[in-house]
Amino acid sequence: CLWVRNLRLKRRLPGPFAWPVVGNAMQLGQMPHITFAKLAKKYGNVYQIRLGCSDVVVLNGDRAIREALIQHSTEFAGRPNFVSFQMISGGRSMTFTNYSKQWKAHRKIAQSSLRAFSFANSQTKKAFEQHITAEAMELVHIFLRHSTDGRYFDPAYEFTVAAANVMCALCFGRRYGHEDLEFRTMLKKLDKFGETVGAGSLVDVMPWLQSFPNPVRSVYENFKNLNEEFFSFVKDKVVQHRESFNPDVTRDMSDAIINAIEHRQDSGLTKEFVEATVTDLIGAGQDTMSTAMQWIVLLLAKYPDMQAQLHELIDKVVGQDRLPSIEDRRSLAHLDAFIYETMRFTSFVPVTIPHSTTSDVTIEGLHIPKDTVVFINQWSVNHDPLKWKDPHIFDPARFLNENGALDKDITSGVMIFSTGKRRCIGNQIAMVEVFLFTAVLLHQCSFEADPSEPLTLDCSYGLTLKPLRSRISAKLRGKLLGVVS
Ligand code: HEM
């Protein structure tokens, strides 16, 4: 009887037939997260596919994902030992390394330095807010310039530069101009980062492809180069910080990390981890943030009535004589609702960074062995029909209660920052940043899509989903304001 129970508990994982050599690689399609959700309808929320030489377990739906990442948090906290992951942040990335005592120490340092320069006290909060507002106003000027004579433009790169600048201001105490060609070129290359590390990328699971001259090989080479270039940009700045380091004055996050790693006996990390931590933080906060902003502006242009309602609300709460601030957030629940709905609806980080199991584990009665690659389909949580009414409809009002206030139980159901031991450490920073960027842009501008092209939500797949075409035009509303320091 016990034997039968054990057998049932350790059922083989269901999943589609896997072809020799490639496995299910050719079945993923252009949008693997949608394919994963479709396969879940047939095989259940926990199933196995094969990609090249790797067995991969795919988790779908709110219940299975939370059971894995929260109830079995340690077992699902690993990262696969993919070759591409070792090319990131000089081989010492915290984000792309497996679960270990060292990873825990590294994550703690990254987390506490981030906090120290964002929400530690009212002074850091104010400084952080000023960085964001200044970047947002810089964007307003650039957008208006690009829109002269009713022209339309794609704001993608400007958002990339702005997001990178907020992180550079925190990490290095300085920003780089939108005209800085070296900075722009590096960020443009970095834009391709997510294609290689996104779940379903094939370079790591078909290593034999590297031995042939083929597109996959060049993906690897480009990936290696872009990581080296980005790492050496950060390393330069960290070396300058190390040379002028004064233990009594912490100028920025680089100083805080140097202090935590090099000047404390028990950090457990060597000094090379400083530049790796800074590289991780700038990298993590850049692609995600700029993608978030691209979708927000695109959806504002797609739903002009919603945009008009937000304009009206901002005018009422903030007025024309000052810019919105973080204190206004309480009174701008509709704006937060629009942001949460953008995150849910687009699920622009559709699948988390790949996880791996740190020991054997059983979930929903299915046995998963140690060191199995795990994909976590966030899109399926955000479109789970058991959880959301009409999940395919864009409706910010779903997050508001009858008094027009944000319903925290509903907003916490959105999964875009993942959950459990590997959840995003920039969650709070990101929400403040997205809110302020959007509030300032809306306060100053209205956005319109190019009427000569159909406005589509088509996107490319990678770690983030990026809109393919988003040509917009910005118009000044009221007066152009300066930043109050
Ligand atoms: C990891 C989402 C912004 C730092 C992650 C993960 C997701 C995510 C899905 C992977 C979690 C997993 O594998 O289970 C986002 C989104 C953002 C955002 C949607 C913006 C809207 C930021 C920012 C920072 C940051 C601004 C830093 C300042 C990190 C780090 C990790 C991470 C360091 C790795 C955590 C680990 O592996 O332990 N983020 N993120 N993120 N994020 Fe974010």
Side-chain angles (χ1 to χ4, degrees):
C1 193
L2 194 68
W3 182 81
V4 173
R5 217 183 107 223
N6 274 346
L7 196 71
R8 210 176 294 140
L9 274 180
K10 294 194 169 189
R11 263 176 18 230
R12 226 190 81 75
L13 281 153
F17 169 77
W19 294 94
V21 187
V22 289
N24 304 102
M26 300 306 144
Q27 286 148 264
L28 295 184
Q30 298 281 313
M31 295 291 140
H33 56 293
I34 310 274
T35 308
F36 294 151
K38 280 187 187 146
L39 289 172
K41 284 198 181 141
K42 188 159 177 197
Y43 298 104
N45 282 327
V46 181
Y47 60 84
Q48 180 174 304
I49 57 171
R50 196 167 170 80
L51 292 180
C53 57
S54 281
D55 282 327
V56 176
V57 167
V58 186
L59 302 183
N60 296 272
D62 196 66
R63 202 187 62 195
I65 289 182
R66 289 188 201 271
E67 181 187 338
L69 298 188
I70 297 171
Q71 265 119 273
H72 298 282
S73 60
T74 308
E75 291 95 320
F76 283 93
R79 294 272 190 234
N81 62 347
F82 288 158
V83 174
S84 70
F85 286 12
Q86 285 142 38
M87 296 173 182
I88 302 167
S89 300
R92 292 185 179 80
S93 168
M94 179 277 281
T95 308
F96 292 89
T97 198
N98 206 349
Y99 183 78
S100 68
K101 214 171 143 197
Q102 190 180 59
W103 166 77
K104 274 195 213 167
H106 198 175
R107 181 168 159 116
K108 218 165 154 186
I109 288 173
Q111 239 168 343
S112 58
S113 336
L114 259 189
R115 203 172 317 116
F117 280 87
S118 50
F119 304 112
N121 55 51
S122 55
Q123 212 183 334
T124 55
K125 253 192 224 159
K126 198 82 222 150
F128 177 51
E129 184 175 342
Q130 273 170 9
H131 288 315
I132 303 168
T133 312
E135 283 311 321
M137 279 312 292
E138 181 78 19
L139 279 178
V140 168
H141 283 100
I142 294 171
F143 286 178
L144 292 174
R145 221 167 38 236
H146 286 339
S147 308
T148 39
D149 306 325
R151 273 182 295 159
Y152 292 86
F153 70 99
D154 183 346
Y157 280 119
E158 309 309 337
F159 278 132
T160 305
V161 176
N165 263 332
V166 172
M167 287 313 297
C168 285
L170 288 181
C171 291
F172 307 134
R174 65 157 292 190
R175 61 184 294 279
Y176 298 81
H178 284 251
E179 292 76 32
D180 187 323
L181 204 62
E182 200 191 333
F183 192 56
R184 278 183 83 98
T185 314
M186 186 190 68
L187 293 179
K188 206 166 178 162
K189 287 189 198 160
L190 208 56
D191 212 43
K192 300 265 174 249
F193 179 88
E195 285 177 11
T196 303
V197 296
S201 151
L202 299 179
V203 286
D204 288 307
V205 290
M206 298 185 176
W208 60 86
L209 289 174
Q210 290 164 62
S211 352
F212 305 104
N214 65 45
V216 173
R217 185 175 177 185
S218 72
V219 168
Y220 243 145
E221 271 161 19
N222 291 343
F223 187 72
K224 194 161 178 250
N225 291 341
L226 74 88
N227 276 285
E228 280 172 4
E229 194 176 323
F230 182 44
F231 185 64
S232 95
F233 166 83
V234 172
K235 195 171 171 184
D236 255 18
K237 315 284 173 292
V238 171
V239 168
Q240 287 162 19
H241 274 71
R242 198 174 274 133
E243 281 164 7
S244 54
F245 182 76
N246 172 355
D248 300 327
V249 188
T250 311
R251 295 163 294 187
D252 47 38
M253 229 149 70
S254 292
D255 274 356
I257 296 168
I258 290 175
N259 197 31
I261 291 183
E262 297 178 31
H263 297 264
R264 288 203 203 123
Q265 308 254 303
D266 57 348
S267 83
L269 301 169
T270 56
K271 78 186 217 312
E272 291 76 18
F273 281 86
V274 174
E275 27 273 58
T277 315
V278 181
T279 311
D280 267 4
L281 291 176
I282 302 179
Q286 184 246 317
D287 184 29
T288 45
M289 273 300 308
S290 67
T291 308
M293 292 312 303
Q294 285 174 52
W295 281 113
I296 284 180
V297 169
L298 187 63
L299 287 162
L300 285 169
K302 184 169 168 66
Y303 297 105
D305 293 349
M306 291 185 196
Q307 186 181 167
Q309 272 176 11
L310 290 172
H311 279 145
E312 202 179 304
L313 177 70
I314 290 174
D315 287 348
K316 200 169 99 198
V317 171
V318 181
Q320 288 287 316
D321 301 324
R322 66 171 180 90
L323 286 172
S325 76
I326 203 65
E327 277 80 46
D328 297 315
R329 198 165 169 197
R330 243 172 288 127
S331 319
L332 295 173
H334 283 66
L335 179 54
D336 260 341
F338 188 91
I339 293 170
Y340 276 110
E341 182 64 345
T342 302
M343 290 177 165
R344 185 202 68 79
F345 177 77
T346 66
S347 295
F348 62 83
V349 187
V351 183
T352 69
I353 299 167
H355 283 228
S356 73
T357 46
T358 57
S359 61
D360 287 9
V361 58
T362 299
I363 170 167
E364 301 220 323
L366 296 161
H367 176 76
I368 306 173
K370 180 175 189 285
D371 292 327
T372 304
V373 178
V374 182
F375 289 172
I376 290 147
N377 188 357
Q378 299 201 109
W379 184 93
S380 71
V381 175
N382 297 330
H383 292 259
D384 189 338
L386 296 175
K387 200 177 162 72
W388 308 98
K389 186 171 169 277
D390 300 327
H392 298 284
I393 292 177
F394 184 80
D395 177 19
R398 68 172 81 238
F399 293 105
L400 299 168
N401 65 20
E402 61 280 7
N403 306 319
L406 210 59
D407 187 323
K408 294 276 162 61
D409 284 342
I410 306 182
T411 57
S412 64
V414 176
M415 189 176 285
I416 191 91
F417 297 103
S418 188
T419 186
K421 290 227 186 304
R422 283 287 179 166
R423 71 190 175 280
C424 175
I425 64 171
N427 176 348
Q428 241 191 316
I429 286 191
M431 286 311 287
V432 167
E433 212 175 316
V434 173
F435 171 83
L436 260 186
F437 266 130
T438 314
V440 171
L441 289 178
L442 273 174
H443 183 269
Q444 295 280 279
C445 303
S446 59
F447 297 97
E448 193 195 284
D450 186 346
S452 71
E453 327 184 317
L455 197 159
T456 79
L457 301 180
D458 293 350
C459 54
S460 63
Y461 177 90
L463 187 56
T464 54
L465 295 174
K466 292 179 200 292
L468 279 180
R469 276 184 305 276
S470 60
R471 284 165 56 74
I472 52 140
S473 185
K475 268 204 198 81
L476 183 65
R477 307 174 60 243
K479 40 181 179 180
L480 193 58
L481 294 181
V483 181
V484 184
S485 57

